[in-house]
Amino acid sequence: MSSKLNTLRAGVLGANDGIVSTSALLLGVIAAGAGATETFTAGMAAAVAGAVSMALGEYVSVSAQRDSEKSLIAKESGELRDMPTEETSEMEEILRGFGVSEKTAATAAAEIHAGDPLHAHLQLELGIDAEDLTSPWSAAASSALSFILGALLPLVSVLLAPHSSAAAVVTLVTLVSLGGTGLVSARLSDTRTRRSVARLIIGGAIGLALTYGIGSLFPV
Ligand SMILES: [Zn+2]
């Protein structure tokens, strides 16, 4: 369940990235005086490049995390095999740390070690759920997909809007979309809705203003 929630959160973040970075690039190109076709082509290229780099980054980071989790799992299961007594008293200590009395902790640790001690050690000692490791491939694919979905919003709007008002339309679509993703991510993380939506919209507006300004410094 918590991993599904994390995937959803990652998806919303990826979509935000796709929206903001594509619109920022579009505005920079429009401000520099590019025509409609050039603007759309640049936006497409930015969306593809961004999705590839998101996927790559996610693949590398999840793989590294997975490798370190796997080596921790191997180390822990080696310790359980080689020094079960020490590991049992370690479990007792962990349980006492949760406020369990000495006697109950000893009984519980003994029962845990009679069953599946690896699972309990991983969870309580290292915070790892061995049955729920993230796959680097699915993480990469879902972040690329969410980036593309986000990028489509400004791309489609620049395609449909008349070129003379493209900058205004892209800005409006971007800020409204960020309001939407802000609402979703506030729901997902149980935070104060208004504040997180405002943070996103203001951040997005600053980003767009910056690239628009830079674009107009370098006219085509
Ligand atoms: Zn242990």
Side-chain angles (χ1 to χ4, degrees):
M1 182 58 210
S2 90
S3 96
K4 259 186 198 156
L5 205 61
N6 280 335
T7 312
L8 217 54
R9 274 187 205 132
V12 175
L13 285 180
N16 277 339
D17 270 359
I19 295 168
V20 172
S21 68
T22 309
S23 327
L25 180 118
L26 287 172
L27 281 189
V29 173
I30 293 169
T37 317
E38 296 157 297
T39 304
F40 183 71
T41 311
M44 284 286 287
V48 172
V52 169
S53 112
M54 289 280 287
L56 198 65
E58 194 67 11
Y59 183 84
V60 169
S61 97
V62 174
S63 298
Q65 187 195 337
R66 206 187 161 123
D67 288 347
S68 89
E69 283 173 346
K70 278 188 176 162
S71 78
L72 283 173
I73 293 172
K75 183 169 171 263
E76 189 67 30
S77 64
E79 287 173 2
L80 284 169
R81 188 188 55 232
D82 298 337
M83 34 185 190
T85 322
E86 288 88 339
E87 286 292 315
T88 309
S89 40
E90 185 187 59
M91 180 51 66
E92 284 179 41
E93 237 165 77
I94 291 172
L95 293 171
R96 283 208 303 273
F98 286 115
V100 174
S101 76
E102 208 165 314
K103 201 178 147 214
T104 316
T107 314
E111 283 181 14
I112 288 170
H113 275 253
D116 180 9
L118 181 62
H119 179 72
H121 277 260
L122 291 176
Q123 195 108 309
L124 295 176
E125 197 185 323
L126 305 165
I128 296 175
D129 185 352
E131 281 142 32
D132 197 19
L133 297 184
T134 321
S135 143
W137 286 108
S138 78
S142 64
S143 74
L145 186 70
S146 57
F147 186 95
I148 288 283
L149 286 177
L152 278 176
L153 294 163
L155 272 181
V156 168
S157 55
V158 87
L159 192 63
L160 298 180
H163 193 60
S164 55
S165 54
V169 173
V170 168
T171 304
L172 188 69
V173 167
T174 300
L175 299 183
V176 170
S177 316
L178 289 179
T181 56
L183 272 180
V184 174
S185 62
R187 277 282 164 77
L188 291 177
S189 50
D190 266 335
T191 46
R192 303 266 294 282
T193 311
R194 208 185 295 168
R195 197 183 291 176
S196 73
V197 172
R199 210 182 284 141
L200 251 181
I201 292 180
I202 291 169
I206 291 173
L208 295 189
L210 273 176
T211 49
Y212 191 84
I214 291 172
S216 45
L217 290 179
F218 300 100
V220 181

